[in-house]
Amino acid sequence: EGEHELLKRGPPFMATLIRMHRGAVSSAALRVRAQRCVTSAVGEFRRSAKVPGVTVVSDDQTAEKALQVLQRLGDRVHGWDTETTEVNLGQRGQTPCHTGQVVCATAYCGDDVDFGDGPMLLIDNMGPAAGLIERKFRSYFEDASYKKVI
């Protein structure tokens, strides 16, 4: 089948590759389009990923629902873990608390808790969800009345 048919039915990124091959699109423009395509695909995966028993929070709406559940469980211990990046633990003064970036945070408060899709909570904080923990959960983490084990 010819290039014209591929352009009509192939993904937009494929059309860009073909135009680049013809010299109509620069490699810099291709890199920008490729990054947008990857970011879009990763964002869609994060929004639609389903893991049995795990509530994935990747937007403000699901964050608010999860926060309401956490606030209702004020009498319980909330177990937390975080994953970070851009931290050089071997370098003096660098800790995940003051440098780097939080990739995600996970919580568990008991098998009888349901955050929406189960008792385990995963808060995405990268890509389209960047800054979600700071925006929506900061006051919760700063509130000493909640029993958090980190």
Side-chain angles (χ1 to χ4, degrees):
E1 116 184 84
E3 287 181 9
H4 185 67
E5 288 302 311
L6 284 174
L7 284 172
K8 278 203 266 183
R9 64 184 196 97
F13 187 66
M14 178 61 79
T16 300
L17 284 174
I18 292 169
R19 285 195 301 275
M20 183 188 157
H21 178 70
R22 291 181 186 157
V25 176
S26 72
S27 61
L30 179 62
R31 280 193 298 276
V32 169
R33 289 180 185 172
Q35 182 61 40
R36 285 182 188 152
C37 182
V38 169
T39 299
S40 175
V42 168
E44 182 56 35
F45 171 77
R46 285 181 164 143
R47 285 189 296 278
S48 63
K50 299 285 182 204
V51 179
V54 178
T55 301
V56 178
V57 174
S58 59
D59 59 39
D60 288 0
Q61 183 181 7
T62 54
E64 289 167 10
K65 290 178 183 176
L67 191 55
Q68 289 173 357
V69 173
L70 288 166
Q71 290 168 336
R72 280 197 307 265
L73 300 171
D75 60 330
R76 289 194 190 203
V77 172
H78 304 179
W80 283 95
D81 188 25
T82 59
E83 297 300 326
T84 59
T85 186
E86 300 175 19
V87 177
N88 183 353
L89 295 177
Q91 186 173 344
R92 186 180 176 134
Q94 284 208 1
T95 70
C97 297
H98 301 290
T99 57
Q101 183 175 351
V102 176
V103 173
C104 67
T106 56
Y108 180 78
C109 301
D111 282 338
D112 59 328
V113 175
D114 187 2
F115 287 102
D117 290 326
M120 293 174 277
L121 181 66
L122 184 146
I123 305 169
D124 186 10
N125 200 51
M126 295 291 288
L132 186 62
I133 294 172
E134 176 78 18
R135 274 194 327 275
K136 293 295 181 178
F137 293 89
R138 181 180 185 142
S139 61
Y140 162 81
F141 282 112
E142 290 177 343
D143 189 335
S145 68
Y146 297 110
K147 304 170 191 170
K148 298 173 288 289
V149 177
I150 299 177

